[in-house]
Amino acid sequence: RHNSSRSKENIKIMSTKTFRGQLADTQIKKIRLGTIQGLIGYKIVKFQLIEATPGVGSTESVVQVYTVDPGTASASINFDDPQILAVGFWNTNASTAQFTETVIFDSVKFNQDIFIAHKDVTGSAETINFYLELEQVKLSLDEATVATLKDMRGNYTNQDP
């Protein structure tokens, strides 16, 4: 049989966690992911947006996912900010029935809580829905330590620690 304990040690258990919800203009939501030992890690595999009332109005929304609480939701996007994990932009025009969605996310692993923030650029205070899919992975002690230190420093780049 091939059920030796040695072969099972090298397998990282993976599953998917999903989060969905609504964000009002300027709202920030905390998504609780942290564990005591930090041995469970996550990475974003899907991030989608859709307005709360499609076809009713025109809106331009920026939704950003951070490793720390940004304090205030902003429409400014700065990819030099190491605390940004993902950015989504939703633009819709009710009179032409057209919409665009642009989503960009990093494949970095993290093991602490994350924050999702929404800002309506047009000032119309529209609400937006989000769907966030995370791949859950078991981290080695070394990976967990690095991810936790990056979180403490707010430094999530793809460069080596």
Side-chain angles (χ1 to χ4, degrees):
R1 292 193 168 187
H2 298 284
N3 292 335
S4 73
S5 61
R6 187 155 173 80
S7 66
K8 289 181 181 179
E9 288 179 79
N10 296 327
I11 298 173
K12 291 186 178 184
I13 302 168
M14 290 195 264
S15 64
T16 301
K17 285 188 97 164
T18 60
F19 300 89
R20 61 189 175 101
Q22 277 193 345
L23 293 167
D25 186 27
T26 71
Q27 184 179 3
I28 300 169
K29 275 191 180 179
K30 181 179 188 175
I31 297 177
R32 296 191 182 274
L33 298 171
T35 60
I36 293 172
Q37 295 179 345
L39 295 176
I40 302 296
Y42 303 90
K43 69 178 188 173
I44 299 171
V45 293
K46 187 183 282 187
F47 181 41
Q48 294 177 306
L49 306 171
I50 189 168
E51 64 188 297
T53 52
V56 174
S58 297
T59 186
E60 294 179 15
S61 290
V62 175
V63 179
Q64 300 185 68
V65 181
Y66 295 89
T67 58
V68 297
D69 188 338
T72 59
S74 173
S76 297
I77 300 169
N78 180 0
F79 285 121
D80 285 335
D81 182 349
Q83 298 169 345
I84 292 178
L85 293 172
V87 174
F89 177 71
W90 178 270
N91 179 16
T92 185
N93 185 325
S95 63
T96 61
Q98 293 182 333
F99 76 92
T100 57
E101 178 190 39
T102 303
V103 172
I104 301 169
F105 56 86
D106 202 347
S107 63
V108 68
K109 291 179 188 172
F110 48 92
N111 66 349
Q112 301 296 319
D113 297 341
I114 58 175
F115 299 82
I116 185 164
H118 169 236
K119 178 67 178 162
D120 184 342
V121 180
T122 63
S124 62
E126 291 290 329
T127 301
I128 194 152
N129 291 295
F130 71 90
Y131 174 81
L132 184 64
E133 192 172 298
L134 305 176
E135 181 179 79
Q136 187 177 26
V137 295
K138 185 172 180 176
L139 299 176
S140 69
L141 189 55
D142 291 340
E143 289 174 316
T145 302
V146 169
T148 302
L149 288 173
K150 282 183 177 182
D151 182 66
M152 290 169 58
R153 295 180 188 159
N155 183 17
Y156 274 87
T157 62
N158 281 330
Q159 300 170 355
D160 290 334

mmCIF file of all heavy atoms in Angstrom, residues 65-82:
data_model
loop_
_atom_site.group_PDB
_atom_site.id
_atom_site.type_symbol
_atom_site.label_atom_id
_atom_site.label_comp_id
_atom_site.label_asym_id
_atom_site.label_seq_id
_atom_site.Cartn_x
_atom_site.Cartn_y
_atom_site.Cartn_z
ATOM 1 N N VAL A 65 -8.630 45.420 -1.507
ATOM 2 C CA VAL A 65 -8.418 44.474 -0.418
ATOM 3 C C VAL A 65 -7.029 44.743 0.153
ATOM 4 O O VAL A 65 -6.045 44.786 -0.588
ATOM 5 C CB VAL A 65 -8.529 43.012 -0.910
ATOM 6 C CG1 VAL A 65 -8.320 42.038 0.242
ATOM 7 C CG2 VAL A 65 -9.873 42.776 -1.592
ATOM 8 N N TYR A 66 -6.985 44.921 1.474
ATOM 9 C CA TYR A 66 -5.748 45.289 2.166
ATOM 10 C C TYR A 66 -5.376 44.249 3.219
ATOM 11 O O TYR A 66 -6.241 43.564 3.755
ATOM 12 C CB TYR A 66 -5.932 46.619 2.910
ATOM 13 C CG TYR A 66 -6.175 47.816 2.043
ATOM 14 C CD1 TYR A 66 -7.460 48.186 1.676
ATOM 15 C CD2 TYR A 66 -5.118 48.608 1.619
ATOM 16 C CE1 TYR A 66 -7.698 49.305 0.905
ATOM 17 C CE2 TYR A 66 -5.344 49.737 0.850
ATOM 18 C CZ TYR A 66 -6.629 50.082 0.494
ATOM 19 O OH TYR A 66 -6.855 51.191 -0.267
ATOM 20 N N THR A 67 -4.090 44.237 3.580
ATOM 21 C CA THR A 67 -3.607 43.387 4.668
ATOM 22 C C THR A 67 -3.793 44.049 6.023
ATOM 23 O O THR A 67 -3.737 43.382 7.052
ATOM 24 C CB THR A 67 -2.119 43.053 4.491
ATOM 25 O OG1 THR A 67 -1.369 44.278 4.442
ATOM 26 C CG2 THR A 67 -1.882 42.233 3.241
ATOM 27 N N VAL A 68 -3.994 45.343 6.052
ATOM 28 C CA VAL A 68 -4.255 46.093 7.285
ATOM 29 C C VAL A 68 -5.420 47.046 7.032
ATOM 30 O O VAL A 68 -5.732 47.365 5.886
ATOM 31 C CB VAL A 68 -3.017 46.897 7.764
ATOM 32 C CG1 VAL A 68 -1.861 45.978 8.121
ATOM 33 C CG2 VAL A 68 -2.587 47.905 6.724
ATOM 34 N N ASP A 69 -6.046 47.513 8.089
ATOM 35 C CA ASP A 69 -7.159 48.452 7.964
ATOM 36 C C ASP A 69 -6.635 49.755 7.361
ATOM 37 O O ASP A 69 -5.746 50.390 7.939
ATOM 38 C CB ASP A 69 -7.772 48.713 9.340
ATOM 39 C CG ASP A 69 -9.048 49.531 9.288
ATOM 40 O OD1 ASP A 69 -9.269 50.265 8.289
ATOM 41 O OD2 ASP A 69 -9.826 49.456 10.241
ATOM 42 N N PRO A 70 -7.160 50.179 6.201
ATOM 43 C CA PRO A 70 -6.649 51.399 5.567
ATOM 44 C C PRO A 70 -7.094 52.683 6.271
ATOM 45 O O PRO A 70 -6.613 53.761 5.942
ATOM 46 C CB PRO A 70 -7.234 51.324 4.151
ATOM 47 C CG PRO A 70 -8.490 50.532 4.319
ATOM 48 C CD PRO A 70 -8.200 49.542 5.403
ATOM 49 N N GLY A 71 -8.025 52.583 7.205
ATOM 50 C CA GLY A 71 -8.511 53.766 7.909
ATOM 51 C C GLY A 71 -9.657 54.442 7.182
ATOM 52 O O GLY A 71 -10.715 54.654 7.743
ATOM 53 N N THR A 72 -9.454 54.773 5.919
ATOM 54 C CA THR A 72 -10.507 55.352 5.084
ATOM 55 C C THR A 72 -10.468 54.694 3.716
ATOM 56 O O THR A 72 -9.401 54.339 3.216
ATOM 57 C CB THR A 72 -10.344 56.884 4.902
ATOM 58 O OG1 THR A 72 -9.068 57.140 4.308
ATOM 59 C CG2 THR A 72 -10.439 57.620 6.221
ATOM 60 N N ALA A 73 -11.645 54.557 3.110
ATOM 61 C CA ALA A 73 -11.731 54.010 1.752
ATOM 62 C C ALA A 73 -11.310 55.098 0.773
ATOM 63 O O ALA A 73 -11.686 56.257 0.928
ATOM 64 C CB ALA A 73 -13.147 53.544 1.457
ATOM 65 N N SER A 74 -10.543 54.704 -0.228
ATOM 66 C CA SER A 74 -10.020 55.671 -1.185
ATOM 67 C C SER A 74 -10.227 55.180 -2.613
ATOM 68 O O SER A 74 -10.199 53.978 -2.871
ATOM 69 C CB SER A 74 -8.520 55.879 -0.934
ATOM 70 O OG SER A 74 -7.948 56.676 -1.942
ATOM 71 N N ALA A 75 -10.402 56.134 -3.526
ATOM 72 C CA ALA A 75 -10.489 55.790 -4.943
ATOM 73 C C ALA A 75 -9.108 55.777 -5.589
ATOM 74 O O ALA A 75 -8.966 55.356 -6.727
ATOM 75 C CB ALA A 75 -11.398 56.784 -5.663
ATOM 76 N N SER A 76 -8.098 56.235 -4.882
ATOM 77 C CA SER A 76 -6.730 56.236 -5.407
ATOM 78 C C SER A 76 -6.159 54.826 -5.341
ATOM 79 O O SER A 76 -6.256 54.150 -4.316
ATOM 80 C CB SER A 76 -5.841 57.172 -4.590
ATOM 81 O OG SER A 76 -6.301 58.486 -4.690
ATOM 82 N N ILE A 77 -5.553 54.408 -6.435
ATOM 83 C CA ILE A 77 -4.947 53.079 -6.521
ATOM 84 C C ILE A 77 -3.445 53.256 -6.653
ATOM 85 O O ILE A 77 -2.970 53.923 -7.575
ATOM 86 C CB ILE A 77 -5.502 52.302 -7.732
ATOM 87 C CG1 ILE A 77 -7.020 52.134 -7.598
ATOM 88 C CG2 ILE A 77 -4.805 50.957 -7.868
ATOM 89 C CD1 ILE A 77 -7.692 51.624 -8.850
ATOM 90 N N ASN A 78 -2.696 52.646 -5.739
ATOM 91 C CA ASN A 78 -1.245 52.766 -5.736
ATOM 92 C C ASN A 78 -0.640 51.374 -5.568
ATOM 93 O O ASN A 78 -0.590 50.839 -4.454
ATOM 94 C CB ASN A 78 -0.785 53.692 -4.605
ATOM 95 C CG ASN A 78 0.725 53.842 -4.553
ATOM 96 O OD1 ASN A 78 1.448 53.267 -5.358
ATOM 97 N ND2 ASN A 78 1.197 54.602 -3.582
ATOM 98 N N PHE A 79 -0.170 50.792 -6.652
ATOM 99 C CA PHE A 79 0.404 49.455 -6.584
ATOM 100 C C PHE A 79 1.777 49.417 -5.924
ATOM 101 O O PHE A 79 2.327 48.343 -5.713
ATOM 102 C CB PHE A 79 0.461 48.812 -7.972
ATOM 103 C CG PHE A 79 -0.883 48.338 -8.450
ATOM 104 C CD1 PHE A 79 -1.431 48.817 -9.619
ATOM 105 C CD2 PHE A 79 -1.612 47.414 -7.720
ATOM 106 C CE1 PHE A 79 -2.673 48.386 -10.056
ATOM 107 C CE2 PHE A 79 -2.850 46.974 -8.142
ATOM 108 C CZ PHE A 79 -3.378 47.461 -9.312
ATOM 109 N N ASP A 80 2.323 50.575 -5.562
ATOM 110 C CA ASP A 80 3.539 50.597 -4.757
ATOM 111 C C ASP A 80 3.231 50.338 -3.283
ATOM 112 O O ASP A 80 4.130 50.093 -2.500
ATOM 113 C CB ASP A 80 4.258 51.950 -4.890
ATOM 114 C CG ASP A 80 4.978 52.079 -6.221
ATOM 115 O OD1 ASP A 80 5.337 51.053 -6.818
ATOM 116 O OD2 ASP A 80 5.187 53.230 -6.663
ATOM 117 N N ASP A 81 1.958 50.414 -2.904
ATOM 118 C CA ASP A 81 1.542 50.159 -1.524
ATOM 119 C C ASP A 81 1.594 48.650 -1.271
ATOM 120 O O ASP A 81 0.799 47.896 -1.833
ATOM 121 C CB ASP A 81 0.124 50.689 -1.299
ATOM 122 C CG ASP A 81 -0.360 50.515 0.125
ATOM 123 O OD1 ASP A 81 0.297 49.797 0.909
ATOM 124 O OD2 ASP A 81 -1.402 51.103 0.452
ATOM 125 N N PRO A 82 2.513 48.178 -0.424
ATOM 126 C CA PRO A 82 2.645 46.731 -0.196
ATOM 127 C C PRO A 82 1.481 46.126 0.573
ATOM 128 O O PRO A 82 1.384 44.918 0.688
ATOM 129 C CB PRO A 82 3.943 46.620 0.599
ATOM 130 C CG PRO A 82 4.093 47.932 1.271
ATOM 131 C CD PRO A 82 3.483 48.951 0.341
#
